[in-house]
Amino acid sequence: MLIGLTGGIGSGKSLAGEFFKSKNIDVIDADDLSRIALAKKGEGYSEFLNIFGEDFLDANSEIDRKALREFIFKNPGMKNRLEEIIHPIVQNGILKFLNNSNSLYAIVIVPLIAETNSSSHYDRVLAIECKKNIQIERASTRDNSSEEQIVKIIQSQSSTEDRNKIANDVVKNNGTKEEFIMNLEEIHKKYLTLINND
Ligand code: ADP
């Protein structure tokens, strides 16, 4: 069984991923794969330079992801070009992960399942729901970003309502970490039951 784990920025996807790993469930994060794809030795690095040039390189010849993100925000037309580079590499990475996975079920963390209409890639979608003000506070603290930047990202993502529409299960993360973990325990139990009844 393959679970797509989704949610807005700062909603708690990574924390949920850590929880599932602690249950010996294989977890992969699509964002990590895209970061690896654009790293200096990554599969997408030279193609990136061919298309975007060297303007985004820092002193170590690494792609400055923050500068790139800001550029894409201002030039949405270039987003497709970037996705054409990254998408096949990420897809391939997920396939490899699945081929090597033998945990009871597997989880792929993908922030943009609703935005990319890709819920059919998964047996089930799990959405993490978090109130906007809490999301802003947690994400800006974690990333050392301004609240305005986080708000911009939230506005570019699906609404909670749209995300919940495509989800089979929704877990709320508005309270303490302990409460969140308790909610995740319930979902883990539910998945095990679903597998056993299959
Ligand atoms: P995402 O992966 O969805 O962007 P994270 O899992 O990284 O979100 O969570 C964002 C930040 O908020 C992290 O620093 C995380 O440790 C923290 N966090 C997540 N859930 C809680 C919670 N219930 N209470 C306090 N901090 C939390």
Side-chain angles (χ1 to χ4, degrees), residues 8-15 138 142 173 175-177 180:
I9 182 170
S11 59
K13 296 181 295 298
S14 304
L15 195 58
R138 288 180 186 158
R142 181 197 60 191
N173 183 18
T176 63
K177 286 188 181 179
F180 186 40

Side-chain angles (χ1 to χ4, degrees), residues 22-39:
S22 79
K23 297 287 176 188
N24 291 323
I25 300 302
D26 290 334
V27 178
I28 198 165
D29 186 331
D31 270 357
D32 287 345
L33 291 176
S34 74
R35 261 191 289 277
I36 294 166
L38 289 185

Side-chain angles (χ1 to χ4, degrees), residues 116-134:
T116 54
N117 273 321
S118 56
S119 52
S120 62
H121 296 186
Y122 310 96
D123 296 308
R124 297 183 75 82
V125 172
L126 170 60
I128 310 294
E129 181 182 325
C130 184
K131 285 187 185 141
K132 204 164 150 185
N133 58 328
I134 301 177

Side-chain angles (χ1 to χ4, degrees), residues 94-114:
I94 293 174
L95 283 179
K96 268 192 199 154
F97 160 80
L98 289 177
N99 283 336
N100 290 322
S101 167
N102 47 23
S103 62
L104 292 170
Y105 59 91
I107 295 206
V108 182
I109 303 177
V110 185
L112 307 179
I113 296 181

Side-chain angles (χ1 to χ4, degrees), residues 140-152:
S140 58
T141 307
R142 181 197 60 191
D143 297 345
N144 211 356
S145 299
S146 69
E147 296 198 347
E148 293 77 52
Q149 270 168 320
I150 303 298
V151 169
K152 263 196 215 160

